[in-house]
Amino acid sequence: SQMLKSKLMAGALIGVLGLTAIGTSYAVYQHNSTTLVDKKEGIKYNPINNEEDYQKILENKKNKKSHILIFHRPSCPDCQASYGKIEKSIKNQNNIYTVNTNTAFGVRLMKTYNVKSVPSATSVAYDGDTEMITTESIYGNDTLNAMIHEKNRH
């Protein structure tokens, strides 16, 4: 019958649209999961590349909001080895920023935060008006997760 036929067609169409939607969101997810780490630029997650980007950090400081800066250099083997783990830790977290030390601004921030090696993370936390800055290597250890856990408690 004609009616059954059109119902089947509608069902098939909805099925196809449903799959397309799933396919699209999966592709978007896939795309997102690979964009944090880039061969040329290392890890990119709220990157701080210039004075304008740095305003976000200053805003956090002004509002006494704990935040974390991750220092890395795309050409550094220890960084490359750590990117996958870093990505898992920081995905969907807020107030976490990445700093590429292969840039002039990155080098400047290394000096500002007294970063000696990469990959490192600098945690900026507040106890009342007291700013506490801790910088540690995040290569081959669980320091970053501990810092994130601490940040999220405040």
Side-chain angles (χ1 to χ4, degrees):
S1 79
Q2 197 55 43
M3 181 121 170
L4 181 63
K5 209 175 201 171
S6 62
K7 268 194 174 154
L8 282 172
M9 283 299 289
L13 186 63
I14 288 166
V16 168
L17 287 175
L19 279 175
T20 308
I22 290 167
T24 308
S25 60
Y26 179 69
V28 167
Y29 170 74
Q30 279 295 86
H31 178 67
N32 283 348
S33 70
T34 53
T35 49
L36 287 194
V37 181
D38 177 90
K39 269 274 180 278
K40 278 206 314 285
E41 302 189 50
I43 195 152
K44 286 172 73 180
Y45 189 82
N46 300 328
I48 305 293
N49 294 324
N50 50 43
E51 205 56 65
E52 194 186 340
D53 293 341
Y54 194 62
Q55 294 308 310
K56 296 177 220 165
I57 303 295
L58 296 178
E59 194 65 22
N60 278 331
K61 285 177 177 285
K62 201 176 81 186
N63 298 324
K64 309 264 181 275
K65 226 188 223 155
S66 298
H67 53 280
I68 295 171
L69 291 160
I70 294 169
F71 291 86
H72 70 97
R73 193 180 70 247
S75 59
C76 127
D78 287 355
C79 296
Q80 290 166 5
S82 307
Y83 284 149
K85 191 175 173 187
I86 293 171
E87 179 180 30
K88 270 198 197 80
S89 300
I90 68 178
K91 208 183 236 155
N92 306 322
Q93 292 283 343
N94 56 8
N95 302 325
I96 296 185
Y97 306 88
T98 57
V99 179
N100 180 345
T101 62
N102 220 14
T103 64
F105 200 78
V107 170
R108 204 174 112 189
L109 286 186
M110 269 185 97
K111 291 195 180 95
T112 304
Y113 290 93
N114 201 17
V115 174
K116 301 281 185 239
S117 67
V118 287
S120 284
T122 297
S123 152
V124 184
Y126 296 90
D127 183 8
D129 279 342
T130 313
E131 186 180 64
M132 297 166 292
I133 299 178
T134 317
T135 298
E136 291 185 56
S137 164
I138 53 170
Y139 176 61
N141 60 35
D142 215 26
T143 304
L144 179 59
N145 284 333
M147 281 182 173
I148 291 170
H149 182 72
E150 192 58 35
K151 173 185 78 65
N152 293 343
R153 277 185 40 219
H154 293 294

